[in-house]
Every structure is written in C-alpha cells, then in structure tokens.
Amino acid sequence: MNRGNELLAIGELATRTGLSVSAIRFYEAKGLVQALRTSGGQRRFLRSDIRRLSFALIAQQLGFTLQQIVGELDKLPQGRTPSAADWQRISGAFKRALDARIAALERTRDVLDGCIGCGCLSLTKCALYNRDDRAGLSGAGPRFALHGDWGGG
C-alpha cells in the first residue's frame, strides 16, 4: 500500500496530531477532515489529514477563525495527499493576512513606544489624542492605533 494513502484509525490520528479523539470528531463535523468508514463503521483517516489538522491548529494559534481555515482547506484536494503546489496555493492568502496583522502590530508597537512614559503631558502633541472626535468620523473603534491614522492633536 502507498504510504501516502495509508488509512489511520482515529486514535492513531489523535496520537500523531496531539489532539483528543473528541477534538478530531469536532473538526470532522466542521469539515476540516473527512473520515472514511470501514465495513464495521469505524472511522479511518488519510495520512494527509495529519497535515490538514496540524495546519488548522497553527492557523488557529495565529488567530484565524475556523470558518477561514475551512474555507482555505476546502481548496485542497480530497482523497489524495495535497502536493507542495496545493499547499502553496492556499498559503498565499494566509501570508497576506499575516503580513497585514504584522503591520498593524508594528504600528501599534511604534505608537506605544512613543506614548507610554513619553512625558509629553500635552494633548497638543499626543499622537493618540482624538480632539473633537475626528476618529469617530471614520468609524467605531480605536482608529488611530489599529489603522495607522495618526492625526494627533
């Protein structure tokens, strides 16, 4: 049997991914993996499901929603091990999203470096001061810190 097409019992998949059996069932119900059934009704998973679940765990740790993850994993082939090209195709969207998050984090870090303990004690110099609620014209939330619109004063 081709090792890439080898089927794994749910317990084996749990051992390989570090997930509990119930977590694998949850991910199965959400469409991240699809079990094949034996004649006795037991779940069997493709070896490639190790990668799918590992990808999902990493993506969740990076703050992606389950819906986003499922949407991207749906682009991978079912019934065969995804190729490097398959993975590269879905990784592009995640890379762009991560780059945007990194940029937002860097903007926030930079303003905090200039703000915490700056000692300016002046609302006319403060980069985060929202005089006359100008930020409110652009929408709700912390507009300056999240979107880099540092109007100040």
Side-chain angles (χ1 to χ4, degrees), residues 101-117:
R101 287 181 187 186
I102 289 167
L105 287 168
E106 287 174 341
R107 282 191 308 270
T108 303
R109 180 205 55 216
D110 292 346
V111 75
L112 290 176
D113 283 350
C115 189
I116 295 175

Side-chain angles (χ1 to χ4, degrees), residues 99-133:
D99 286 343
R101 287 181 187 186
I102 289 167
L105 287 168
E106 287 174 341
R107 282 191 308 270
T108 303
R109 180 205 55 216
D110 292 346
V111 75
L112 290 176
D113 283 350
C115 189
I116 295 175
C118 73
C120 72
L121 300 176
S122 169
L123 293 180
T124 60
K125 294 180 183 177
C126 181
L128 292 178
Y129 178 58
N130 183 19
R131 183 178 23 184
D132 301 323
D133 194 24

Side-chain angles (χ1 to χ4, degrees), residues 9-145:
I10 194 167
E12 293 172 285
L13 186 59
T15 298
R16 292 294 310 274
T17 61
L19 290 166
S20 66
V21 168
S22 62
I24 292 172
R25 288 186 188 119
F26 169 80
Y27 286 126
E28 180 186 6
K30 296 296 182 183
L32 280 121
V33 292
Q34 185 177 10
L36 305 170
R37 296 289 183 155
T38 65
S39 59
Q42 295 177 330
R43 287 177 172 89
R44 293 291 185 260
F45 295 88
L46 296 175
R47 180 169 289 281
S48 60
D49 288 335
I50 295 169
R51 287 191 197 107
R52 292 175 71 90
L53 290 170
S54 296
F55 177 82
L57 291 171
I58 293 166
Q60 282 184 298
Q61 288 295 314
L62 294 173
F64 292 97
T65 67
L66 203 50
Q67 184 177 2
Q68 290 170 311
I69 297 164
V70 170
E72 290 303 316
L73 288 177
D74 281 349
K75 297 175 185 176
L76 292 175
Q78 289 291 333
R80 75 164 170 84
T81 300
S83 67
D86 294 326
W87 282 110
Q88 191 171 27
R89 191 171 49 253
I90 71 164
S91 70
F94 278 86
K95 285 179 184 178
R96 287 186 295 279
L98 287 172
D99 286 343
R101 287 181 187 186
I102 289 167
L105 287 168
E106 287 174 341
R107 282 191 308 270
T108 303
R109 180 205 55 216
D110 292 346
V111 75
L112 290 176
D113 283 350
C115 189
I116 295 175
C118 73
C120 72
L121 300 176
S122 169
L123 293 180
T124 60
K125 294 180 183 177
C126 181
L128 292 178
Y129 178 58
N130 183 19
R131 183 178 23 184
D132 301 323
D133 194 24
R134 287 188 341 264
L137 298 174
S138 299
R143 311 303 301 170
F144 294 158

